[in-house]
Amino acid sequence: MAAGLYRMIGSVLLLCGSWLKAEARQEESMPPLMENALENETAGNDALPEDDANWQRLEAYARHKIQLNTADEATLQSLGMLTALQIGNFIAYRRLLGNLVSIYELQAVPGFEPDLIRQLLPYIRVGDDLAPHYTWHDYLHKGDHVWLLRYSRQLEKARGYEYTGSTPAMYRGSPDKVLLRYRYSFPRYISWGITMEKDAGEPWGGYRRQYGFDFYSAHLFLRNIGRLKAVAIGDFTANLGQGLLNWQSQAYGKGAAVMQIKREGEILRPYTSAGEYYFFRGAAATWQQKTWQITILASWRQLDGSLNAADTLQDISATSLVSSGYHRTLTEISKKGSIQQLSSGGNIRYQTRRWQVGVNVISHRLTPALQKEQHPYNQFEFNGAELTGASVDYAAYWKNVHLFGEAAVSDNRKPALVQGILTSLSPAVDMSVVYRYYDKAYQSFYAKGFGDNYRTVNEKGLYTGLTVQVTPRCKLDAYADIFHFPWLKYRADAPSDGSEFLLQLTYAPDKKKRFLLRLNSRKYEENLLVSGNALKILSDITTTHIRFQGDCQYRQYWSFKVRAEYSRYMAATGSQTGWMFYGDIACRLPRWPITMNARLARFQTDNYDTRMYAYERSVLYDNAVSQVYGRGWQYYLNVKYKVNKQLSCWMRVHQTIYPGKQVIGTGWDAIAGSKKTFFQLQLMQTL
């Protein structure tokens, strides 16, 4: 009877909810969840991530849509847009009522509100209820061959490119940045390809380990070959548990998506990005037999690092590891590939319909050994030649509650622990809770655990998130996070405390308009030189950001977006403020294969402490986030011309203007003048 009632409700929603028609997809537009995560990651690490794997995966799904009636949990996780609760609710709904008769039946699944369904529509479909059985011929011919060439350049010459008399420029290469990538992909089955990149300032050759492009990456990846769930050869990422031991793919931190707190997805994934640190190079495989799954991996890589000056080879040691991937100056070039890393590990997992548990092990050996110069703040960090860690992770569903967690230990016997809960308190209210404890001496090379710090060490805290569907058109998201750092950290010469909260109200009066109001406040402790003290002391700092944003689509061809943001920094030394306003416009010309988007922004901040970050639409697969501070204007124009079904090209111009400024930037990246201009050109052919 209950099944019939649910089916009746689904049918009514199907008839009454026909307004949810699939609209023309905004080309190359990230889902809002990914835009927000990219802004937060850039702000947290003060560096723009180069990992575009999630974006590549979504574009592949746009061409080869996910069949909802046969999709398993791992496939739904790979979208990166659904929480564990939503995935569990969907699978339970499908198990209870059978296959979906229409895509609009998703409105009957708990947790699938209309805004989420609209974001999913480009990547999913309903039909062909039988699971496909592909042959090797299908593997090799049903996918897409994609060639991508991207050229970028800053038009103004930075100080590092200038010759002074007989002294050569510090940057030994040209200001050109070039990315060339070929990839064949048949989503969920096979992928192979090669990526080549040269960053601005890097030479094409003539120096140690410089052969043409600065970075090369290649992979072959197979899925679902009998009992072999995954086989990786070449470059790949390994993602274990909740990221305490090893997580090399992108991972969400705190943000407006308050329920996106769990690390999830398949352990092995192909590496196809241009970042030069977070991946393994070697071979790996996942084998599954009924409820048991085993993964093994082996990798050998050459990492960048600084070596000490020694009289004999036996006395050489590494003093630091470098993850930036830049090889522009002689010093940076000398660090390239100077450290060898041999890694091995694996996972054993037992999984049933409602719960799973896994055991993970990872071991690394460095040659030469790492011996950092000792300071009070880093005395607990890893030194030596070998680092081994192990962990146990689990996930379980119980009624409307999802539990997950991981407990890890490094070989110095120092622990790291994370425990989370996702639950539906009512049909309109969901809650998330995460407790984490990362010992000050816990050690791992590739950890990305959930927390306030970008490193999974020296932190304990409690996070609570809440999302309330106030009305069908109005949603409230909020979180509060209290954290403590038991030992010294960057810019804090003593143990310190902090807290952060966020409150966001989203209102969507119809399918073409969306407005949000966000308040984000963070309190923490940092070294400051306060009047009356000769030395810096630990003082309270409070930062506040208030944001209003509106999105609107006009007819079929136009869309608009505006954002106004206010920033405030308060400390014992005084307070500073800042603001930013921008307007975006995007259009698709009727009867012309041309799409355009542009932005005009105005900003003013008292200093760097009141800086703000804003995601920008750029050429396909280019992660673009603006960091603005000072006083100025900013604009960009991005044009795409689709030559035919296979070939597309993009051109983008981006400029920031600081009226009255004589020098922009610092160090070797400083440029004379008041303008900073970037130019990009991209070609992509899909066969």
Side-chain angles (χ1 to χ4, degrees):
M1 182 175 179
L5 178 61
Y6 277 115
R7 178 65 75 185
M8 185 185 301
I9 293 173
S11 300
V12 172
L13 287 172
L14 171 60
L15 294 174
C16 298
S18 58
W19 56 269
L20 199 65
K21 289 184 179 180
E23 305 169 28
R25 177 169 158 266
Q26 288 286 339
E27 298 206 35
E28 289 82 54
S29 179
M30 273 189 182
L33 171 67
M34 291 175 59
E35 292 182 9
N36 181 71
L38 190 61
E39 284 183 354
N40 293 337
E41 185 174 355
T42 304
N45 298 336
D46 208 18
L48 189 63
E50 293 189 89
D51 190 346
D52 62 353
N54 290 346
W55 201 350
Q56 290 186 58
R57 189 181 307 115
L58 287 182
E59 287 297 315
Y61 286 153
R63 297 188 295 267
H64 304 272
K65 298 184 187 297
I66 292 175
Q67 167 51 261
L68 286 180
N69 286 334
T70 59
D72 58 8
E73 183 178 10
T75 302
L76 297 173
Q77 288 173 349
S78 68
L79 280 165
M81 300 164 64
L82 299 173
T83 68
L85 276 180
Q86 290 165 335
I87 294 174
N89 289 341
F90 172 78
I91 292 177
Y93 178 93
R94 192 178 62 185
R95 185 183 300 119
L96 177 66
L97 300 176
N99 291 331
L100 278 67
V101 296
S102 167
I103 205 165
Y104 306 120
E105 196 178 336
L106 285 174
Q107 296 171 91
V109 181
F112 280 71
E113 66 271 8
D115 187 53
L116 172 63
I117 299 173
R118 279 195 294 270
Q119 295 180 43
L120 292 173
L121 284 180
Y123 315 111
I124 58 176
R125 65 187 177 93
V126 169
D128 301 331
D129 297 338
L130 297 177
H133 295 282
Y134 293 115
T135 65
W136 277 102
H137 183 273
D138 296 324
Y139 283 12
L140 301 178
H141 294 87
K142 285 186 175 290
D144 300 311
H145 298 268
V146 179
W147 289 89
L148 184 144
L149 173 64
R150 181 188 303 152
Y151 171 84
S152 310
R153 182 178 178 126
Q154 178 181 291
L155 300 186
E156 295 83 7
K157 182 179 287 187
R159 179 171 166 241
Y161 299 103
E162 295 176 351
Y163 290 82
T164 55
S166 59
T167 305
M170 288 298 296
Y171 291 164
R172 297 307 172 106
S174 70
D176 308 309
K177 181 175 181 178
V178 182
L179 171 69
L180 177 61
R181 178 164 63 204
Y182 161 73
R183 185 181 183 187
Y184 174 82
S185 176
F186 185 30
R188 308 297 304 163
Y189 293 100
I190 189 170
S191 172
W192 71 73
I194 183 169
T195 301
M196 298 166 277
E197 189 202 40
K198 168 201 172 302
D199 286 311
E202 294 177 338
W204 286 101
Y207 296 91
R208 177 175 173 267
R209 297 194 177 97
Q210 293 291 125
Y211 311 105
F213 286 92
D214 175 72
F215 174 70
Y216 294 89
S217 173
H219 77 279
L220 170 63
F221 200 92
L222 301 171
R223 296 185 193 273
N224 302 315
I225 310 297
R227 293 178 181 175
L228 283 174
K229 303 303 292 182
V231 177
I233 300 173
D235 293 350
F236 62 93
T237 63
N239 308 283
L240 303 173
Q242 289 302 302
L244 304 189
L245 198 63
N246 203 92
W247 193 279
Q248 294 169 311
S249 297
Q250 281 185 306
Y252 294 137
K254 292 183 290 186
V258 300
M259 300 296 290
Q260 291 280 1
I261 58 172
K262 183 189 176 189
R263 309 283 186 259
E264 55 187 359
E266 293 168 308
I267 293 176
L268 299 179
R269 307 177 196 177
Y271 187 71
T272 60
S273 302
E276 301 181 29
Y277 186 70
Y278 283 102
F279 66 93
F280 284 136
R281 178 165 290 174
T286 297
W287 178 84
Q288 184 168 350
Q289 173 65 34
K290 296 182 179 179
T291 55
W292 288 93
Q293 181 176 289
I294 298 175
T295 298
I296 57 172
L297 65 90
S299 166
W300 184 84
R301 286 195 56 200
Q302 292 180 302
L303 304 179
D304 294 353
S306 300
L307 304 181
N308 66 344
D311 296 329
T312 64
L313 291 176
Q314 291 76 13
D315 295 330
I316 293 178
S317 63
T319 58
S320 68
L321 294 174
V322 179
S323 60
S324 69
Y326 288 127
H327 308 109
R328 303 162 298 183
T329 67
L330 290 179
T331 300
E332 291 174 346
I333 293 172
S334 68
K335 298 177 182 179
K336 183 177 182 180
S338 57
I339 302 171
Q340 288 73 51
Q341 181 188 59
L342 180 64
S343 304
S344 60
N347 162 273
I348 299 177
R349 182 166 304 278
Y350 181 79
Q351 181 171 359
T352 68
R353 194 173 71 181
R354 301 294 292 174
W355 62 274
Q356 59 177 293
V357 62
V359 178
N360 314 289
V361 177
I362 198 82
S363 180
H364 308 279
R365 181 175 181 83
L366 299 180
T367 306
L370 183 64
Q371 295 294 332
K372 297 180 180 178
E373 183 178 350
Q374 291 294 295
H375 299 281
Y377 69 87
N378 72 352
Q379 63 176 285
F380 298 110
E381 293 184 6
F382 171 72
N383 280 301
E386 294 188 20
L387 175 61
T388 300
S391 74
V392 176
D393 72 272
Y394 82 97
Y397 290 95
W398 180 71
K399 295 185 178 179
N400 61 338
V401 178
H402 181 69
L403 302 170
F404 63 92
E406 183 178 15
V409 62
S410 48
D411 55 9
N412 61 356
R413 300 183 180 180
K414 301 302 180 181
L417 171 71
V418 64
Q419 171 62 57
I421 302 174
L422 297 169
T423 182
S424 292
L425 302 180
S426 75
V429 181
D430 292 337
M431 186 175 72
S432 59
V433 180
V434 178
Y435 170 78
R436 74 267 189 189
Y437 171 77
Y438 308 144
D439 192 273
K440 63 180 180 293
Y442 177 71
Q443 298 168 352
S444 177
F445 282 134
Y446 301 109
K448 284 186 185 178
F450 182 88
D452 182 78
N453 200 0
Y454 73 96
R455 300 178 59 213
T456 308
V457 66
N458 185 36
E459 179 180 345
K460 61 180 179 180
L462 179 65
Y463 167 99
T464 303
L466 194 69
T467 180
V468 181
Q469 195 72 40
V470 183
T471 71
R473 299 177 179 180
C474 184
K475 186 172 75 167
L476 179 68
D477 294 291
Y479 74 72
D481 187 35
I482 301 172
F483 45 88
H484 172 68
F485 304 111
W487 189 244
L488 284 60
K489 62 188 291 288
Y490 177 62
R491 301 180 74 174
D493 292 341
S496 57
D497 299 286
S499 61
E500 183 176 9
F501 74 84
L502 177 142
L503 188 66
Q504 176 173 295
L505 184 67
T506 305
Y507 176 63
D510 55 53
K511 62 180 180 179
K512 293 187 177 182
K513 300 184 186 70
R514 183 173 180 267
F515 304 95
L516 70 83
L517 181 63
R518 179 189 301 173
L519 171 63
N520 184 211
S521 181
R522 171 179 163 83
K523 183 178 180 181
Y524 59 100
E525 293 178 298
E526 192 174 279
N527 301 330
L528 289 177
L529 187 60
V530 181
S531 178
N533 291 277
L535 299 175
K536 290 184 177 181
I537 61 173
L538 206 61
S539 301
D540 287 340
I541 295 174
T542 302
T543 61
T544 304
H545 290 263
I546 302 174
R547 175 184 297 181
F548 169 79
Q549 183 172 301
D551 300 76
C552 175
Q553 183 174 344
Y554 178 68
R555 295 186 177 177
Q556 187 178 0
Y557 303 108
W558 296 87
S559 63
F560 305 91
K561 179 178 179 181
V562 294
R563 177 186 293 184
E565 185 163 345
Y566 170 81
S567 172
R568 186 175 185 183
Y569 173 94
M570 296 182 63
T573 55
S575 65
Q576 291 84 37
T577 61
W579 57 267
M580 172 183 65
F581 176 84
Y582 72 69
D584 287 358
I585 183 171
C587 68
R588 180 165 57 90
L589 299 182
R591 297 184 298 275
W592 287 83
I594 297 176
T595 57
M596 297 185 293
N597 55 80
R599 169 177 297 175
L600 178 62
R602 178 77 169 93
F603 59 90
Q604 182 171 317
T605 72
D606 291 338
N607 58 18
Y608 182 76
D609 293 324
T610 50
R611 66 194 179 275
M612 286 163 281
Y613 296 85
Y615 169 78
E616 298 178 348
R617 291 186 65 178
S618 184
V619 300
L620 182 61
Y621 303 137
D622 180 41
N623 292 337
V625 176
S626 255
Q627 179 198 79
V628 297
Y629 62 93
R631 182 175 65 90
W633 295 82
Q634 188 178 83
Y635 71 88
Y636 68 77
L637 174 64
N638 187 30
V639 181
K640 175 189 175 184
Y641 177 63
K642 193 168 184 178
V643 181
N644 52 45
K645 291 183 178 180
Q646 289 79 36
L647 181 63
S648 298
C649 60
W650 291 258
M651 185 184 72
R652 185 174 190 259
V653 178
H654 179 288
Q655 186 174 76
T656 308
I657 304 171
Y658 301 89
K661 203 170 183 66
Q662 302 299 316
V663 177
I664 302 173
T666 60
W668 299 114
D669 291 325
I671 59 175
S674 60
K675 298 179 181 179
K676 191 173 184 180
T677 311
F678 288 95
F679 172 78
Q680 286 180 297
L681 181 65
Q682 178 167 294
L683 301 174
M684 188 178 78
Q685 185 171 31
T686 304
L687 301 175

